[in-house]
Amino acid sequence: MSDCIFCRIVRGEIPASTVYEDEEILAFNDINPLRPVHVLVIPKKHITSLSTAGVDDTLVLGRILAKANEIACSQGSADGFRVIINTGRVGQQEVPHLHAHIVGGTDPVGPMLKRI
Ligand code: AMP
Ligand code: ZN
């Protein structure tokens, strides 16, 4: 999607603080971090949200989760983290390109993020 902000990051048109990249996914620091470790992991291919993802996206969705621990550890969250995928209007998703928030640090996440 030409005007999607995260597609533009994938294409290098907007700078991002990349922490991990392979052929399928890109991980970069959130521009407005809510915790000491706050990384967004996205598929390089545009998928709007979990509402529009399908079985064809199984591999890339699995890759995002399978790489989460490695990414979290590399950023200083070796003792656990939370993975949050806000989806659609009810999920209050702001950027319409699927992304997993990896949030953590050295201390347990606080009540603002421990919503469930
Ligand atoms: P969500 O509410 O789940 O859609 O979260 C969108 C996230 O994207 C927010 O935490 C924003 O801070 C983050 N964000 C928006 N633009 C950028 C950007 N250019 N680089 C890094 N993070 C961004
Ligand atoms: Zn996109």
Side-chain angles (χ1 to χ4, degrees):
M1 293 243 311
S2 58
D3 58 346
C4 167
I5 187 169
F6 286 176
C7 283
R8 295 190 70 191
I9 286 175
V10 170
R11 293 196 298 266
E13 296 170 4
I14 295 176
S17 173
T18 299
V19 300
Y20 175 81
E21 179 173 15
D22 63 28
E23 60 273 20
E24 298 282 341
I25 65 174
L26 178 68
F28 50 94
N29 286 310
D30 196 293
I31 204 167
N32 183 26
L34 300 179
R35 296 288 303 157
V37 174
H38 188 168
V39 175
L40 303 178
V41 191
I42 69 171
K44 287 187 168 179
K45 163 194 167 188
H46 182 87
I47 303 171
T48 300
S49 75
L50 283 182
S51 295
T52 62
V55 289
D56 288 350
D57 303 313
T58 299
L59 281 177
V60 73
L61 293 175
R63 193 177 194 90
I64 288 170
L65 295 182
K67 284 289 180 181
N69 186 60
E70 176 184 324
I71 293 168
C73 288
S74 75
Q75 298 308 301
S77 194
D79 200 23
F81 52 88
R82 287 172 68 84
V83 176
I84 301 164
I85 304 180
N86 296 322
T87 301
R89 180 182 64 84
V90 172
Q92 299 183 51
Q93 180 181 2
E94 292 179 3
V95 176
H97 180 129
L98 192 153
H99 50 281
H101 296 254
I102 296 178
V103 287
T106 53
D107 300 319
V109 297
M112 287 294 285
L113 283 169
K114 184 83 174 73
R115 293 178 301 213
I116 56 172

